[in-house]
Amino acid sequence: MHPQGRYRTPLLLALILLLVFSVLSLSLKRSPALRKVQELVVSMTAPGLEGLEYVGRTAKQIWLGYFYLVGARRQNAELKRQVEEYRQREVLFQEAQQALTRLEVLLDLKRQVALPVIGARVIAYDPTLWSRSAIINQGKAQGVKEGLPVLAPQGIVGRIVGVYPEYFPR
C-alpha cells in the first residue's frame, strides 16, 4: 500500500464531516429534513466528541500534574536545604547557649572566691593513663604559679604542678 493511500480514507472522512457540519451551520432555514440530518449527524458524532473531550481533559490533568510534581520536587529540594541550614544554626545556637551557661557559672565562681582568679581553658590532656593532667592556655606571664589550686564550678579539681613562661596561642 502506498503512503498516500493510507491517509486517503481518514482524510476523505474528515472532509465529508467538515462539509456536513459546514452545510448544517450555514443553513439559515430550519427545514424538517435538514433537522433530521442534523440530529443524525449530532447523534453519530456526539460519542466521539465526548471521548475526545475526555481524552483531552485527562491529558490536561496529567500534563498539569507533571508540572506540579516538577515544581514540588524543586520546592522539596529547597525546603530540605533550608531545614539543613536551620539544623546547623540550631547546633551553633545550642553550643553558644552551653558556652554562655558555663561562663555564667564561672563568673559566679569568680565572685565567690575572695582571691584573684585567672581564667584558663584546657587545651590538651596527658595521653598517658598514669597521670591525670592537662595543659591550660595560661602561663607564668599571666600569673600562674606552681601549687595553686585549679577550681571548677564543682569545687577544687586539681593543682598546678608545672608552669611555663608563657602560652602562645596559634
Side-chain angles (χ1 to χ4, degrees):
M1 183 178 242
H2 296 292
Q4 297 169 352
R6 183 170 41 174
Y7 300 113
R8 187 175 300 156
T9 305
L11 186 59
L12 187 60
L13 183 61
L15 286 175
I16 290 172
L17 284 175
L18 181 63
L19 179 65
V20 169
F21 282 123
S22 298
V23 168
L24 289 175
S25 65
L26 291 176
S27 67
L28 298 174
K29 282 176 116 183
R30 301 286 183 194
S31 69
L34 193 56
R35 186 148 182 85
K36 291 280 185 191
V37 171
Q38 186 179 17
E39 288 176 8
L40 179 66
V41 170
V42 168
S43 64
M44 286 175 37
T45 58
L49 291 175
E50 285 179 14
L52 286 176
E53 189 273 333
Y54 175 76
V55 168
R57 189 171 9 108
T58 304
K60 180 180 177 183
Q61 288 174 348
I62 291 171
W63 186 255
L64 292 176
Y66 169 75
F67 279 113
Y68 173 77
L69 289 177
V70 168
R73 185 176 291 135
R74 284 189 200 126
Q75 184 181 21
N76 191 24
E78 175 62 20
L79 290 173
K80 282 182 179 181
R81 185 194 62 75
Q82 288 178 357
V83 165
E84 185 57 35
E85 180 182 328
Y86 291 138
R87 282 184 182 152
Q88 291 173 359
R89 285 184 183 181
E90 175 67 17
V91 168
L92 291 175
F93 174 76
Q94 292 296 331
E95 289 174 355
Q97 188 70 32
Q98 290 172 356
L100 178 64
T101 303
R102 284 191 305 268
L103 289 174
E104 287 174 342
V105 169
L106 290 174
L107 185 59
D108 286 342
L109 177 66
K110 186 174 183 176
R111 288 182 189 140
Q112 292 173 6
V113 175
L115 303 171
V117 176
I118 300 168
R121 272 203 173 113
V122 175
I123 58 171
Y125 290 97
D126 184 4
T128 66
L129 296 175
W130 296 105
S131 68
R132 292 182 152 182
S133 61
I135 299 173
I136 59 173
N137 65 349
Q138 301 294 340
K140 276 186 187 176
Q142 289 80 28
V144 178
K145 298 177 186 168
E146 283 188 27
L148 288 178
V150 177
L151 300 176
Q154 300 84 9
I156 296 177
V157 293
R159 67 182 175 93
I160 303 294
V161 293
V163 180
Y164 297 97
E166 193 168 347
Y167 166 74
F168 297 101
R170 297 188 194 249

